[in-house]
Amino acid sequence: MKNEKYKPSILLSIFRRKGGEGKMTKIISDDNKSDFLHQQTFLQKDEQPLLCFKQNESTWLLITTGRIIEERNGATLLIPYSDLVKVDIALYEEYKDGIMNTMDFTRLILIDIHGRNHIIKLEKGEPYKGIFQILHYVILNINRP
């Protein structure tokens, strides 16, 4: 399947309109790119980093023009947008941990074309809402054969 790429201006516009930056989630710019430089090693040719949620050096999530890349304590998850079929709130995981207020949600469940579920962790509040809306847009606009 071809690797979908999306215009940075469209994805960032959705993020700003439907959510926004937080303490640990930032839009990547020339000014802060060096803070996220080690994640650059995962980038493919013509792929642009857009947003990064960084808890620490071993726990971060990168949204690019073509993929979601997550590093969580040594385990790396790379999901091309072309592999996504569904994004939803990870309600079971949130409720299981006693989180009932939607403004405190931090997890999304992603379902890929192989039927696998992936749970990604984000910063609660505006960053969570913005990234959820980006991924929802991506899934609605994927060109499937």
Side-chain angles (χ1 to χ4, degrees):
M1 203 167 259
K2 78 176 197 168
N3 196 5
E4 297 281 332
K5 296 273 191 297
Y6 293 86
K7 287 186 177 181
S9 59
I10 292 172
L11 297 181
L12 291 176
S13 172
I14 292 167
F15 179 73
R16 288 184 185 108
R17 250 189 357 237
K18 304 289 187 172
E21 292 182 313
K23 289 182 181 179
M24 297 179 282
T25 304
K26 300 294 180 192
I27 294 172
I28 297 177
S29 66
D30 290 335
D31 295 335
N32 67 10
K33 204 176 239 183
S34 63
D35 296 336
F36 309 108
L37 203 52
H38 69 282
Q39 284 93 328
Q40 297 278 355
T41 58
F42 291 100
L43 295 178
Q44 296 176 335
K45 185 182 178 199
D46 299 329
E47 185 176 32
Q48 185 178 336
L50 301 176
L51 299 164
C52 189
F53 161 57
K54 184 176 177 184
Q55 277 188 293
N56 54 50
E57 293 301 317
S58 64
T59 305
W60 50 265
L61 180 123
L62 187 64
I63 300 290
T64 75
T65 51
R67 296 183 296 165
I68 300 155
I69 306 168
E70 183 184 52
E71 178 82 19
R72 198 181 313 168
N73 302 318
T76 304
L77 175 68
L78 300 113
I79 305 175
Y81 292 150
S82 58
D83 282 1
L84 290 176
V85 293
K86 186 175 181 184
V87 60
D88 211 343
I89 298 166
L91 281 175
Y92 175 78
E93 287 75 12
E94 300 291 0
Y95 290 158
K96 183 177 72 173
D97 290 345
I99 300 167
M100 303 295 166
N101 184 341
T102 57
M103 287 307 293
D104 292 330
F105 286 178
T106 59
R107 289 169 281 198
L108 292 174
I109 188 163
L110 308 176
I111 301 172
D112 68 21
I113 57 174
H114 306 289
R116 293 181 297 229
N117 294 342
H118 308 278
I119 294 177
I120 60 171
K121 191 158 175 52
L122 307 166
E123 182 176 358
K124 69 180 180 179
E126 297 300 308
Y128 177 85
K129 292 191 304 187
I131 292 172
F132 178 66
Q133 291 300 321
I134 285 174
L135 297 177
H136 184 70
Y137 169 83
V138 162
I139 287 168
L140 288 176
N141 290 283
I142 287 177
N143 294 318
R144 299 226 187 259

